[in-house]
Amino acid sequence: MRLKKINNYIINEVLCWVYHLSIAVMIALVLTSFVFQRTIVNKNSMLPTLKEGDNLIVEKLSKRFNNFSDGDIVTIYAPKYVKEGSNTIIKRIIATEGETIKIKNGKVYVNNKPVLEEYIMGNFTRATGDYINLKVSKNHVYVLGDNRESNILDSRIMGQIPVDSISGKAIIRIFPLKKVGIF
């Protein structure tokens, strides 16, 4: 009789653990599918803000509510332009729908006002590509990398980015540890 009680206790304990672990796994799957994801920066187009190997937490709720602002750092699904490795790029939103963007004499203007860009590498934005003077369409954004000293893939080459191509907004850097912080 005592052995049966011990066996029942062990079975109940195992079932309890399985139940709680299953709930934890389901919560983790929901959170990573719909709320947060970890992203690793794989290029240097966002220097000096981000460098290759930085680990970020990206929230996905802004996409669902089209809640983006100038200055947000976003991940963009761009398989048409990125062939090797990840199909995702990381850029900074410079202008949102309805705003005009112009790059002239190395400076970026939004609605004919110069943008104060203390975060960029260098002090000159190359006016390359076909998309350097336009009005941002509905449900689109205009993005640039922070590393303006090199020819990088951003809206100057790709044009306006549809909001539904945005995977999420970077909210915190979690690695390297000495650079942990909120954006």
Side-chain angles (χ1 to χ4, degrees):
M1 189 64 150
R2 183 172 167 94
L3 186 58
K4 190 173 182 171
K5 278 187 173 183
I6 292 172
N7 284 341
N8 284 342
Y9 173 78
I10 292 172
I11 290 170
N12 285 338
E13 192 68 24
V14 168
L15 289 175
C16 187
W17 274 97
V18 168
Y19 173 75
H20 286 97
L21 286 174
S22 298
I23 289 175
V25 167
M26 289 184 347
I27 289 171
L29 287 173
V30 167
L31 286 176
T32 57
S33 296
F34 301 107
V35 182
F36 299 104
Q37 78 180 40
R38 182 177 137 249
T39 298
I40 300 173
V41 178
N42 62 8
K43 299 280 183 183
N44 285 318
S45 70
M46 286 296 291
L47 282 173
T49 307
L50 301 171
K51 70 175 192 169
E52 191 165 0
D54 284 1
N55 283 243
L56 312 174
I57 297 295
V58 174
E59 61 88 1
K60 299 178 179 182
L61 295 176
S62 292
K63 175 183 179 168
R64 301 199 190 308
F65 301 108
N66 195 2
N67 185 24
F68 297 108
S69 303
D70 298 353
D72 287 345
I73 296 173
V74 295
T75 55
I76 302 162
Y77 181 67
K80 178 179 174 184
Y81 296 97
V82 182
K83 302 297 182 205
E84 81 267 355
S86 171
N87 292 329
T88 303
I89 59 174
I90 299 175
K91 302 296 174 203
R92 184 181 302 272
I93 294 177
I94 301 300
T96 55
E97 69 178 57
E99 294 181 313
T100 58
I101 182 84
K102 182 189 287 187
I103 301 172
K104 183 179 175 186
N105 298 326
K107 298 290 181 202
V108 176
Y109 297 85
V110 173
N111 297 328
N112 294 317
K113 295 178 184 162
V115 179
L116 179 61
E117 299 183 292
E118 297 174 348
Y119 46 78
I120 70 170
M121 177 172 272
N123 58 3
F124 187 85
T125 299
R126 293 174 195 235
T128 57
D130 296 329
Y131 307 102
I132 59 172
N133 188 1
L134 56 86
K135 182 174 182 176
V136 180
S137 302
K138 183 176 172 110
N139 295 321
H140 285 73
V141 294
Y142 191 93
V143 298
L144 294 174
D146 289 356
N147 184 354
R148 307 284 174 77
E149 293 183 343
S150 63
N151 289 329
I152 59 170
L153 182 62
D154 57 25
S155 285
R156 292 173 289 177
I157 295 168
M158 300 184 324
Q160 303 174 57
I161 304 297
V163 170
D164 60 0
S165 294
I166 297 175
S167 310
K169 180 170 44 174
I171 56 172
I172 188 168
R173 179 181 7 226
I174 58 172
F175 187 82
L177 295 177
K178 63 183 176 185
K179 290 189 171 186
V180 169
I182 297 173
F183 294 107

